[in-house]
Amino acid sequence: MTTEEHKSTPLESLPYNSTEEYLQAALRGLDLRLQREVQRFRKFRHAGLGALQGIVISAEEIDRALSGDDHAGPSAATEEDSMKNLEQQLAESEQAHRQRAEATLAGQRILPILHLANLFHLNLFEEYVLLIVIAPEIEVKYERIFAYLQDNSTRCQPGVDLILRLLCRDQQQRLIARGLFSPRSALVKNRLVQLRPASPTEQSLLASLVLVNQRILEYALGHQSLDARLGEFASLDFASEPNNVLAADRERIEHLRNICARHFQNGASQSRLLFLFEGRHGIGKKTAAKALCDGLQVPLLIIDVEQLLLANTIDDDVLLAAFREAILQPCAVFLDHFHLLMNDEAQSRVMMKKILQHIRDFCWLTFLGSEKAWIPADINATLSFISVNFEIPDEAGREQLWRWALNGAYPAKAESDFAISDLATKFRFTPGQINEAVCMARGLAQFRDPEHAEIDQQDLYRACREKSTNQLGELARKIRPRRTWQDMVLPAAVVRQLHEICAQVRHRYQVLRVWGYGRKVHHHAGLAAMFAGPSGTGKTMAAEIIAGELQQDLYKIDLSAVVSKYIGETEKNLHRVFAAAEYSNAILFFDEADALFGRRSEVKDAHDRYANIEISYLLQKIEEYDGVVILATNLKRNIDEAFLRRIQFCVEFPFPDAAARRLIWQNHFPAEAPLAGEVDLDFLANRFKFAGGNIKNVAVNAAFLAAEAGSQIGMSEVIAATRREYEKIGKLCLPSDFGKYHEAIDG
């Protein structure tokens, strides 16, 4: 519109240019309503001022406040003429104000207070209520006027009765309008206003004061900051789509963005769009939601359900305020840790119900970040639900993520110094875990070498192990690898098999994915091995050495905690073991596995049937697990054949011969130990047919005997410790067994 056209257009046809201009016009109309009510009030008020509580507010003071003239007094016009004049001015003022407001909306100019009415579908009466309760926050004079009209100088906020008097012409209108302050009304339900009893003795609705919600006040005045009460558990994110996103993830984000665009095209759809983003912590659910919102050009409000549950005294007003931001901003909502509400606790059930209702009331686009699958119980036409599963990137994707993380702001060495593909293969990390591991490695490097702080391979592997959190709890024991290949005394063929196990873990991606063998074998990339042999022959040590070689955690499963006599409990415990191991990137070591992996038997009773179910379930979990599972048994023949068919390696640990036993004896005496020259290792190896575990016990006990005697570790201490080992394992101990050293036996 040109300047000349603007000048020739009637004022009432022009849109408002600002919130300030709109409020000034609206308050002029309110002043006229107040003047009319002042005249009514004076007419029907009892003579004198005795009813006023506290400081007296004079009529002259009110007249001056309403006229804007400090020297104004009562009007000289007759009461009837004055009332007619006020009614005419009020009608003209409000008609012009309404026309300008409609012109503002028609011109698609957004003024916050007008936008509030549209957002919450307020009628004209409710708009006036908002204006009345906001007025004291704009000009303090309204506090004294409201106090005067309520005959109580302490009531500076308008009450329901006063609002009805200002906006209704007669008792019938007041009775109808009274319902607009009910709990289900738009004003109260959405917490735009709050009702508060005027005093402990005045509890009726009419006596209630009407207060504007602070966040609504800020919005109406044009301030768009997040509700201050949400700081502990919510934040507004305007982040743009990150560059370091895998190609597959970009395709998925674009697909979801198209779904949103079609759903909300032309703004015609009234259905709420609800996404469940399911996947492990750090998998990229939040990143995907941010990228999607970046394409839609809307911010993302992130609400942390975990913090909500920790603050178990949270007011429902605050919870509603969080979701109300979805239409005030407007923004999409991301509920982080949503799966924490999926339990039977009363607090979680109540909060789940409230959250879903708030989503229906306010949220046009919502993302539920969860580590568990979930479907809402009451899907209908008002709620469009889509579940999206986020999986850990494959080895190639993880390798790319490692390269991005290491080539960022970190003072890392050249890529050639790192076995990045090895990290990507061994540790099934989410993108978030990879970034966290690099940050942790940087801290380790700074501690180790403050001057240069360059990350090396050991820093990365240590950080990865730290990030592989132990979630197995009381069902398993973490074993820290301390042994090396030099500590192992086994036939060369057995050692080669153990090296082959390590090689398969390192190169499984290349063989299964790059070379295409994954299409020919089972879909998972896990590895199962069985270590069979007598007790003490080195099965646990071999598992420890493999874990150390692969630089992964080793968890020894406590079968006494897993196996239960109660039906179904063993399966539950096994599920916990494998689920926690998946998050821990761990090697699972089942010792004495024949107790759990025994042969399935003919079904003769219910016990047999459920025992077979346990074995079948365990077979299924081993097939699904993408990590390394090692089963150790003393009795290979007792293992179910179905397990043997699914095992890639079956390593036989033979009982050591004399030559192997001599090496084991030698290895169990550290170089620092005061070993006497008289110790006859050949005699010990040939005379005592011990496994490696027994030899270790003898060597350790002999050292303690020598320490107590204050001497070197001599043959007398070794022979005495050997006798104790014989007694422990239940073998008959005769002097002839000890040959020329029988005198060392304590009779």
Side-chain angles (χ1 to χ4, degrees):
M1 182 181 293
T2 66
T3 305
E4 292 301 321
E5 290 174 334
H6 190 283
K7 288 180 180 179
S8 62
T9 304
L11 180 63
E12 59 270 18
S13 302
L14 296 176
Y16 288 114
N17 293 313
S18 65
T19 298
E20 293 76 11
E21 187 180 7
Y22 174 89
L23 288 173
Q24 286 175 6
L27 291 177
R28 281 196 296 271
L30 175 59
D31 286 348
L32 292 170
R33 287 182 178 274
L34 289 170
Q35 288 181 36
R36 183 181 64 183
E37 185 57 30
V38 165
Q39 290 196 24
R40 292 176 182 170
F41 179 72
R42 288 172 180 168
K43 179 178 179 180
F44 295 105
R45 179 180 167 198
H46 294 296
L49 298 172
L52 281 171
Q53 300 176 15
I55 302 172
V56 173
I57 304 172
S58 68
E60 292 76 10
E61 185 178 357
I62 295 302
D63 291 333
R64 286 195 298 270
L66 288 172
S67 68
D69 184 356
D70 290 341
H71 304 290
S75 173
T78 65
E79 182 179 301
E80 184 178 354
D81 291 341
S82 177
M83 186 64 75
K84 286 182 179 179
N85 185 40
L86 276 175
E87 292 288 0
Q88 183 178 355
Q89 290 182 55
L90 179 59
E92 293 174 354
S93 173
E94 293 195 343
Q95 182 181 4
H97 175 58
R98 181 49 46 192
Q99 288 176 349
R100 295 196 67 183
E102 290 173 357
T104 304
L105 292 173
Q108 297 185 342
R109 181 172 297 173
I110 296 178
L111 297 182
I113 194 165
L114 276 177
H115 196 49
L116 271 176
N118 282 337
L119 289 176
F120 296 100
H121 308 291
L122 303 182
N123 59 34
L124 190 58
F125 183 95
E126 291 166 325
E127 286 186 50
Y128 275 122
V129 173
L130 264 187
L131 177 67
I132 291 169
V133 296
I134 287 172
E137 301 289 345
I138 301 173
E139 292 188 38
V140 73
K141 72 175 186 180
Y142 292 104
E143 291 188 350
R144 301 186 69 79
I145 297 172
F146 292 157
Y148 177 81
L149 289 174
Q150 294 176 110
D151 210 18
N152 189 327
S153 62
T154 64
R155 294 187 186 176
C156 300
Q157 299 295 328
V160 173
D161 179 66
L162 175 58
I163 292 174
L164 294 178
R165 281 156 45 198
L166 289 171
L167 300 179
C168 300
R169 290 186 173 275
D170 52 40
Q171 183 65 19
Q172 183 179 1
Q173 284 188 2
R174 285 196 287 271
L175 286 174
I176 296 172
R178 191 178 184 276
L180 296 175
F181 295 96
S182 71
R184 294 188 177 183
S185 69
L187 288 172
V188 179
K189 176 185 175 183
N190 297 312
R191 310 297 200 273
L192 306 184
V193 300
Q194 296 162 298
L195 303 181
R196 189 182 72 190
S199 70
T201 60
E202 297 176 286
Q203 298 292 321
S204 69
L205 176 62
L206 291 178
S208 298
L209 298 179
V210 186
L211 308 177
V212 64
N213 179 276
Q214 188 64 30
R215 173 67 179 104
I216 297 302
L217 171 64
E218 296 296 325
Y219 184 91
L221 298 180
H223 307 304
Q224 192 59 308
S225 58
L226 202 63
D227 194 310
R229 297 172 296 172
L230 310 183
E232 294 184 0
F233 61 88
S235 61
L236 197 62
D237 196 296
F238 295 90
S240 59
E241 182 175 347
N243 294 322
N244 294 345
V245 178
L246 297 174
D249 293 331
R250 288 189 183 278
E251 291 178 5
R252 173 164 52 191
I253 290 168
E254 187 59 33
H255 177 65
L256 296 176
R257 194 177 289 154
N258 290 334
I259 291 175
C260 292
R262 287 194 298 270
H263 185 83
F264 297 114
Q265 62 182 347
N266 302 324
S269 176
Q270 297 300 314
S271 174
R272 307 301 191 188
L273 186 53
L274 180 62
F275 285 105
L276 178 76
F277 281 5
E278 178 198 350
R280 282 176 51 174
H281 172 69
I283 197 69
K285 304 184 291 289
K286 203 179 303 179
T287 300
K290 290 179 182 179
L292 196 154
C293 289
D294 176 60
L296 298 174
Q297 296 184 342
V298 294
L300 181 66
L301 178 67
I302 300 170
I303 300 175
D304 192 335
V305 172
E306 185 175 26
Q307 293 301 317
L308 277 175
L309 290 172
L310 289 175
N312 53 17
T313 58
I314 189 168
D315 192 330
D316 187 44
D317 282 350
V318 179
L319 189 62
L320 180 144
F323 288 91
R324 189 178 58 194
E325 293 292 336
I327 56 177
L328 290 178
Q329 292 295 336
C331 62
V333 173
F334 186 95
L335 284 170
D336 204 8
H337 304 114
F338 181 77
H339 59 278
L340 297 180
L341 297 175
M342 301 177 197
N343 56 54
D344 293 329
E345 295 181 8
Q347 180 194 11
S348 298
R349 291 199 304 271
V350 170
M351 187 171 289
M352 170 81 84
K353 184 177 180 180
K354 289 180 179 178
I355 285 175
L356 292 178
Q357 185 57 53
H358 293 330
I359 288 174
R360 287 185 168 88
D361 288 341
F362 301 115
C363 300
W364 55 281
L365 175 60
T366 308
F367 305 93
L368 309 179
S370 174
E371 295 181 16
K372 299 178 183 177
W374 176 81
I375 298 177
D378 52 347
I379 299 177
N380 51 46
T382 64
L383 183 68
S384 297
F385 177 78
I386 299 174
S387 180
V388 183
N389 184 44
F390 285 71
E391 296 183 348
I392 295 175
D394 61 17
E395 286 87 342
R398 295 199 296 272
E399 184 173 340
Q400 182 62 61
L401 291 168
W402 276 109
R403 294 181 188 279
W404 280 335
L406 288 169
N407 287 338
Y410 305 103
K413 291 183 179 179
E415 284 185 7
S416 58
D417 292 343
F418 303 114
I420 294 180
S421 60
D422 196 38
L423 288 169
T425 299
K426 292 176 183 175
F427 297 98
R428 299 183 68 251
F429 277 178
T430 65
Q433 286 177 308
I434 289 174
N435 287 325
E436 291 168 3
V438 171
C439 289
M440 186 179 294
R442 182 188 183 208
L444 294 171
Q446 287 176 330
F447 180 79
R448 176 178 45 79
D449 185 5
E451 184 176 352
H452 299 97
E454 292 185 339
I455 300 174
D456 64 17
Q457 187 170 341
Q458 293 305 312
D459 295 327
L460 283 172
Y461 274 101
R462 181 179 172 186
C464 288
R465 288 194 298 270
E466 292 295 330
K467 289 303 300 177
S468 298
T469 307
N470 179 12
Q471 300 185 25
L472 293 170
E474 57 197 24
L475 298 177
R477 177 171 62 89
K478 185 175 182 178
I479 298 177
R480 296 190 179 277
R482 294 184 176 87
R483 312 292 184 86
T484 65
W485 294 105
Q486 288 70 33
D487 297 317
M488 179 174 287
V489 179
L490 286 171
V494 175
V495 175
R496 279 197 299 272
Q497 278 188 291
L498 298 178
H499 279 290
E500 289 171 10
I501 292 173
C502 296
Q504 284 213 11
V505 174
R506 280 193 293 264
H507 302 296
R508 58 185 175 180
Y509 172 73
Q510 180 181 358
V511 172
L512 296 178
R513 300 292 177 87
V514 179
W515 291 0
Y517 279 82
R519 298 191 302 272
K520 304 294 184 181
V521 297
H522 197 275
H523 71 279
H524 80 100
L527 183 146
M530 175 172 289
F531 292 173
S535 178
T537 52
K539 300 184 294 295
T540 302
M541 180 190 294
E544 181 181 336
I545 291 171
I546 288 174
E549 173 73 12
L550 298 175
Q551 300 199 49
Q552 290 182 262
D553 288 332
L554 176 68
Y555 290 100
K556 186 175 182 180
I557 308 303
D558 183 358
L559 292 182
S560 65
V562 172
V563 179
S564 174
K565 64 180 180 180
Y566 298 105
I567 293 174
E569 285 300 311
T570 300
E571 289 89 335
K572 288 182 181 179
N573 291 336
L574 287 170
H575 175 77
R576 288 171 57 197
V577 166
F578 282 95
E582 184 77 14
Y583 280 78
S584 299
N585 300 280
I587 297 175
L588 297 183
F589 180 64
F590 290 87
D591 199 7
E592 300 180 2
D594 46 294
L596 189 59
F597 300 77
R599 291 178 178 273
R600 282 173 284 193
S601 60
E602 180 183 352
V603 177
K604 297 179 181 179
D605 53 28
H607 181 272
D608 292 335
R609 182 169 69 254
Y610 284 111
N612 289 345
I613 290 174
E614 289 177 1
I615 295 172
S616 299
Y617 181 78
L618 191 52
L619 278 170
Q620 173 190 337
K621 299 309 291 184
I622 287 180
E623 284 193 328
E624 293 174 352
Y625 185 54
D626 279 345
V628 179
V629 177
I630 298 176
L631 316 175
T633 179
N634 299 340
L635 301 169
K636 178 182 173 182
R637 64 178 180 273
N638 289 346
I639 299 296
D640 192 281
E641 293 179 359
F643 282 106
L644 296 178
R645 287 196 302 270
R646 290 165 170 82
I647 288 172
Q648 289 93 326
F649 289 90
C650 187
V651 184
E652 296 280 356
F653 285 72
F655 195 88
D657 58 17
R661 290 197 295 271
R662 191 188 189 289
L663 285 174
I664 295 172
W665 277 107
Q666 183 177 327
N667 286 346
H668 280 299
F669 290 111
E672 302 88 346
L675 186 65
E678 64 176 11
V679 174
D680 190 346
L681 297 180
D682 290 323
F683 174 82
L684 295 172
N686 287 288
R687 182 58 64 97
F688 305 116
K689 295 183 179 180
F690 280 155
N694 303 115
I695 294 174
K696 177 192 69 175
N697 293 338
V698 171
V700 172
N701 290 335
F704 278 105
L705 291 173
E708 176 65 18
S711 64
Q712 291 183 311
I713 304 172
M715 276 302 284
S716 60
E717 286 78 18
V718 174
I719 293 299
T722 301
R723 179 187 176 182
R724 295 287 179 257
E725 189 67 15
Y726 262 133
E727 293 171 347
K728 185 182 74 174
I729 61 179
K731 283 191 174 183
L732 185 62
C733 185
L734 300 174
S736 59
D737 294 331
F738 299 92
K740 61 181 179 179
Y741 299 105
H742 69 89
E743 295 180 355
I745 302 174
D746 184 9

